[in-house]
Amino acid sequence: MKPAYPDHSAPADADTRRAIAPVICYPTETLPIPDLAACRDARDGWTRVAEVLVPARDARCFEVPAGHFFRIRSVEGPQVGDLNLWNAVNLAERFYSGKTRALHGTHLSTGDRMWTSHPYLRPMATITDDTLDWYGFDTFGGSVHDVIGTRCDPYTHNLLSHGGQYHHCCHSNLTRALADARGLSLAEAESHVHDVLNVFMCTGFTRDTGQYFMKASPVRPGDYLEFFAEIDLLGGLSACPGGDCSAEHSSDTATCHPLLVEVFRPKAPPAGWVSPPVNGYDRSHGR
């Protein structure tokens, strides 16, 4: 974080430099706009074809074919979840939280997309409904469904707890779930676990120190976040050991609840929808 008492004095034109207006790094006016109306129409008469209950302090994997929908639902009490997504037939193509953040902002909601990693860089899922969209940003700068945090992990826990060993951090939960789903060793699975979409988590940055904060999630039973699968997906969802993250994570004392994943097959794909191709860059890198 920035020092409270800098070693170097501000120059005479410091206020002028600070007053320079910001420029958006990635203007998104040229991005294809998802047809939310067509997606909503496609929900009429859909069929729920699968559901996976993710136990508290654990994770499970699930598959969603391209052209299907899935929902992550709160079912018993306030609970946040850490979501990983992969191309179901190529684990190297996975959710790229940093680029998603750069394109859509720190917190996602309806109409935003989850993008895949380089060299693929294409939409993998589109958020089509969000029952917490009413929350917006609070007076602390907090909001829900962030792509600024990573995932609670045993390595950071070990670092901050002077050697503690905790095995139900979201990173470890996702590692076990992927290993089970794909028949991988833990070491192989861990290499594919990546930064997450923090579903239902309420987070932001403190105004004074710029530190990442969390606060009690506003999610309640019945709330959900809904996605449309743009490609064949393998998902991994961890019901975070922090519960609603009102106090701590990586904890056996926080009140935790399961999360439900539901997969829906529409009668027909949304009108005009085509699964997006991989990114068109020729990968010559100037040679």
Side-chain angles (χ1 to χ4, degrees):
M1 68 189 74
K2 299 298 182 181
Y5 303 99
D7 292 330
H8 303 278
S9 299
D13 63 346
D15 289 341
T16 300
R17 298 191 199 185
R18 293 190 183 103
I20 295 172
V23 176
I24 298 299
C25 294
Y26 294 102
T28 56
E29 290 82 1
T30 58
L31 282 180
I33 299 174
D35 190 341
L36 293 178
C39 288
R40 287 166 178 162
D41 288 345
R43 293 186 300 196
D44 291 341
W46 67 6
T47 302
R48 187 171 66 176
V49 294
E51 67 175 37
V52 175
L53 187 67
V54 181
R57 292 190 179 85
D58 209 341
R60 293 291 186 271
C61 283
F62 56 94
E63 295 204 29
V64 188
H68 287 49
F69 294 82
F70 70 99
R71 285 180 173 177
I72 298 174
R73 185 186 295 274
S74 169
V75 287
E76 290 185 7
Q79 174 67 42
V80 308
D82 284 39
L83 177 66
N84 267 187
L85 290 179
W86 299 268
N87 180 330
V89 297
N90 176 17
L91 296 182
E93 184 176 11
R94 61 195 191 187
F95 173 49
Y96 188 176
S97 68
K99 189 58 67 180
T100 299
R101 178 175 63 249
L103 291 172
H104 297 300
T106 57
H107 297 78
L108 305 187
S109 190
T110 306
D112 292 330
R113 288 174 145 165
M114 298 175 70
W115 295 79
T116 64
S117 52
H118 295 157
Y120 313 98
L121 195 61
R122 58 174 167 170
M124 65 189 319
T126 298
I127 298 176
T128 49
D129 202 4
D130 173 12
T131 64
L132 293 177
D133 60 1
W134 58 266
Y135 192 89
F137 283 88
D138 60 34
T139 56
F140 301 98
S143 191
V144 293
H145 313 313
D146 84 75
V147 282
I148 51 178
T150 52
R151 57 200 177 277
C152 57
D153 69 88
Y155 303 100
T156 305
H157 176 83
N158 179 270
L159 179 68
L160 298 179
S161 64
H162 304 292
Q165 302 292 315
Y166 187 75
H167 307 300
H168 291 276
C169 296
C170 289
H171 177 88
S172 295
N173 294 348
L174 291 166
T175 296
R176 294 192 308 274
L178 182 60
D180 291 343
R182 285 293 188 261
L184 303 174
S185 69
L186 290 176
E188 291 171 323
E190 185 175 23
S191 69
H192 295 292
V193 172
H194 52 278
D195 284 351
V196 298
L197 170 60
N198 282 307
V199 178
F200 304 141
M201 193 172 182
C202 189
T203 60
F205 292 106
T206 58
R207 303 291 191 185
D208 52 352
T209 62
Q211 289 176 281
Y212 182 54
F213 71 76
M214 61 187 187
K215 55 181 291 190
S217 172
V219 69
R220 295 297 181 269
D223 281 321
Y224 61 82
L225 189 61
E226 179 187 287
F227 306 80
F228 176 72
E230 302 281 358
I231 63 174
D232 290 336
L233 295 176
L234 173 66
L237 180 67
S238 172
C240 182
D244 69 352
C245 288
S246 57
E248 59 180 339
H249 53 53
S250 303
S251 164
D252 280 330
T253 59
T255 300
C256 295
H257 302 279
L259 291 169
L260 181 66
V261 179
E262 302 169 290
V263 181
F264 300 89
R265 181 181 63 233
K267 287 184 176 180
W273 170 76
V274 177
S275 185
V278 298
N279 192 271
Y281 177 61
D282 65 12
R283 301 177 68 180
S284 63
H285 303 291
R287 289 192 178 177

